[in-house]
Amino acid sequence: MTTTDRHEDIDAIKALKYRYLRCVDLRLWDELAETLAPEVSASYGRRLSLTGRDEVVTGLREQMTDDVITEHQAHHPEIEVDGDSATARWYLQDRVIVPAFDTMIIGGAFYTDTYARLDGRWVITSTGYTRTYEAMIDLKDIPSFTLTDNHLAPADGGEGSGRG
């Protein structure tokens, strides 16, 4: 493998992880499925472990309903490529806002992922994170908090309506 090939693979894996997170936050379930190997396994902290592409997508869809707003950012990748497989570690920062419960959860974690090149493209074969911290904030304790836009809200005025 040449240095150019290795850099191209690393760039492709970065783009894959970013796409995965974008699809989760925008609830693009069919596109999310395309980032995953059929036999993928996923472990999200201590609370949720799933196996198989369909189970992972269904499990995330059930967790991330339209009344839950999420933001996932992955930084500082450490990626090792070995032929048609790869491993990576990512620093995750995330935020979850649940307006109906006046709750915001913030956290940090380290993802550990594995990847495979299948039919010429990289897919995630396993993903999971270990939390470094998680904190919950009661939004009633922040009187100035107002949700002014929500891409998941119905078009009939869900955004800009105060806390929810």
Side-chain angles (χ1 to χ4, degrees):
M1 171 182 301
T2 69
T3 301
T4 301
D5 292 340
R6 184 176 178 281
H7 287 299
E8 288 174 2
D9 287 338
I10 288 171
D11 286 345
I13 290 166
K14 287 179 184 178
L16 174 65
K17 185 65 171 186
Y18 299 150
R19 180 179 178 201
Y20 165 88
L21 296 171
R22 176 180 55 81
C23 290
V24 168
D25 288 342
L26 293 177
R27 313 305 193 259
L28 302 173
W29 305 121
D30 291 339
E31 190 176 344
L32 175 70
E34 294 172 11
T35 70
L36 306 172
E39 72 285 354
V40 67
S41 62
S43 177
Y44 304 105
R46 297 179 192 163
R47 297 184 189 120
L48 186 62
S49 293
L50 306 162
T51 303
R53 180 179 11 207
D54 292 342
E55 185 175 309
V56 170
V57 172
T58 299
L60 290 175
R61 183 187 314 222
E62 290 172 356
Q63 295 287 313
M64 310 234 179
T65 57
D66 285 352
D67 59 341
V68 177
I69 302 161
T70 59
E71 173 190 1
H72 295 87
Q73 295 184 35
H75 305 277
H76 302 83
E78 301 172 54
I79 301 171
E80 295 296 326
V81 177
D82 184 12
D84 288 335
S85 63
T87 59
R89 254 185 247 100
W90 303 83
Y91 186 74
L92 168 70
Q93 292 178 294
D94 62 338
R95 177 184 345 247
V96 177
I97 300 171
V98 188
F101 294 102
D102 286 317
T103 300
M104 180 166 44
I105 301 165
I106 59 172
F110 284 96
Y111 262 105
T112 301
D113 293 351
T114 60
Y115 307 89
R117 188 186 340 249
L118 300 178
D119 300 323
R121 67 182 183 88
W122 288 100
V123 292
I124 300 167
T125 55
S126 69
T127 187
Y129 61 72
T130 302
R131 282 279 188 204
T132 54
Y133 80 96
E134 181 177 282
M136 189 175 297
I137 301 164
D138 185 333
L139 294 174
K140 290 179 282 197
D141 293 338
I142 308 172
S144 64
F145 181 85
T146 301
L147 185 61
T148 60
D149 197 358
N150 175 1
H151 73 97
L152 299 171
D156 63 343
E159 15 353 290
S161 58
R163 292 196 177 270

